[in-house]
């Protein structure tokens, strides 16, 4: 018989081993790496989408609304609200009686009234003991501010065009002048001033006559210009300056 060489045995054994490995690799599904990659990539993509959805559904932009200035026996009371997502998030009195005993009473009563208004989200709040007049004026001004909020279009996020076109009213700061406060309220529709009025202006004596002539001219000028860049009325410099400042603060609130 022919004798087999030892080296040939080693070569044959090695070839058999390599063939076995190749066979095992050929039996492993070729799609595994791709499937693993797809499975690994799907979760992060879903997470990112969920995050974008959550961000897109965030609450609407906050805005401020100022109520009427209500005259009381001890001075005017006026409330301003900050509203976000259809809820009142902040309440403050921009005007309240001051001077002498009134300052002490106001400093005690107003923070309590602010807190109560924020908690109830309405003007149905109790008067503060010892501050009946301030409480009554506060509630009236608060209600007028809430009325403005109800009239304002809801920010649904999807009806941007109709929301911008809807009219809303905005009241500016009450600006103190040498002869008394001046405060302007504007109606805005489609990004333009459609009406302007002075809810406060100096009165009494000659001031009544001056402002009876000046205020209508200032109102007309504000609507025509669509801004606070208007001329002062001759003979009513203080009222005109106060009017323009209050008008500008109203425009700032309206985003213009």
């Amino acid at each position: 018989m022919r004798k087999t060489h030892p080296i040939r045995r080693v070569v044959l054994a090695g070839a058999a081993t390599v063939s076995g490995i190749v066979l095992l690799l050929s039996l492993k599904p070729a799609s595994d790496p791709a499937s693993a990659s797809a499975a690994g990539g799907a979760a992060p993509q879903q997470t990112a989408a969920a995050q974008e959805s959550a961000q897109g559904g965030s609450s609407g932009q906050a805005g401020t609304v100022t109520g009427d200035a209500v005259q009381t026996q001890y001075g005017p009371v006026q409330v301003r609200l900050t509203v976000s997502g259809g809820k009142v998030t902040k309440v403050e009195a921009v005007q309240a009686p001051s001077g002498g005993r009134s300052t002490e009473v106001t400093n005690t009563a107003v923070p309590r009234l602010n807190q109560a208004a924020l908690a109830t989200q309405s003007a149905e709040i109790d008067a503060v003991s010892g501050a009946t007049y301030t409480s009554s004026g506060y509630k009236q001004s608060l209600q007028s501010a809430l009325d403005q909020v109800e009239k304002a279009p809801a920010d649904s996020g999807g009806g941007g065009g109709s929301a911008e076109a809807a009219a809303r009213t905005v009241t500016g700061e009450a600006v103190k002048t040498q002869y008394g406060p001046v405060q302007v309220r504007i109606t805005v529709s489609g990004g333009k001033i459609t009406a302007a009025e002075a809810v406060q202006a100096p009165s009494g004596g000659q001031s009544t006559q001056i402002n009876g002539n000046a205020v209508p001219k200032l109102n007309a000028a504000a609507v025509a210009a669509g801004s606070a860049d208007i001329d002062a009325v001759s003979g009513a410099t203080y009222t005109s300056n106060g009017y323009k400042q209050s008008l500008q603060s109203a425009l700032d609130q309206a985003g213009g």
Side-chain angles (χ1 to χ4, degrees):
M1 291 181 63
R2 189 175 178 180
K3 197 171 184 179
T4 304
H5 199 281
I7 295 177
R8 183 176 295 176
R9 290 180 184 176
V10 172
V11 171
L12 291 174
T17 301
V18 171
S19 299
I21 293 172
V22 171
L23 180 61
L24 288 173
L25 290 175
S26 66
L27 292 174
K28 189 174 182 180
S31 60
D32 279 355
S35 299
S37 175
Q45 289 174 0
Q46 291 174 354
T47 302
Q51 289 175 350
E52 289 178 4
S53 176
Q55 291 172 357
S58 59
S59 60
Q61 184 177 2
T64 58
V65 180
T66 307
D68 292 332
V70 178
Q71 297 294 333
T72 74
Q73 184 173 334
Y74 298 101
V77 180
Q78 187 173 34
V79 177
R80 176 184 297 148
L81 307 178
T82 300
V83 182
S84 179
K87 292 185 178 181
V88 178
T89 58
K90 182 180 179 181
V91 188
E92 58 185 325
V94 293
Q95 287 195 85
S98 61
R101 170 72 175 160
S102 293
T103 299
E104 182 181 347
V105 172
T106 294
N107 289 342
T108 300
V110 167
R112 295 181 184 179
L113 293 167
N114 290 341
Q115 185 176 8
L118 188 60
T120 62
Q121 298 283 302
S122 76
E124 295 297 324
I125 57 178
D126 294 331
V128 175
S129 178
T132 305
Y133 291 104
T134 297
S135 297
S136 178
Y138 184 102
K139 292 167 67 176
Q140 291 179 56
S141 182
L142 172 59
Q143 185 60 60
S144 72
L146 290 169
D147 290 343
Q148 293 182 52
V149 173
E150 290 180 1
K151 292 177 183 177
D155 184 7
S156 61
S162 60
E164 288 180 1
R168 66 190 184 104
T169 58
V170 183
T171 307
E173 302 274 3
V175 179
K176 294 186 181 297
T177 74
Q178 184 173 336
Y179 298 102
V182 179
Q183 187 172 34
V184 178
R185 176 181 295 151
I186 58 175
T187 301
V188 181
S189 179
K192 295 182 179 180
I193 300 175
T194 58
E197 59 179 326
V199 293
Q200 287 194 85
S203 60
Q206 191 175 3
S207 292
T208 300
Q209 181 181 351
I210 291 174
N211 290 312
N213 174 60
V215 169
K217 293 181 180 179
L218 292 167
N219 291 340
V223 173
S227 73
D229 187 15
I230 57 178
D231 294 331
V233 175
S234 178
T237 304
Y238 291 104
T239 296
S240 297
N241 288 339
Y243 185 102
K244 292 167 67 176
Q245 291 178 52
S246 182
L247 172 59
Q248 185 60 59
S249 72
L251 288 168
D252 290 342
Q253 293 181 54

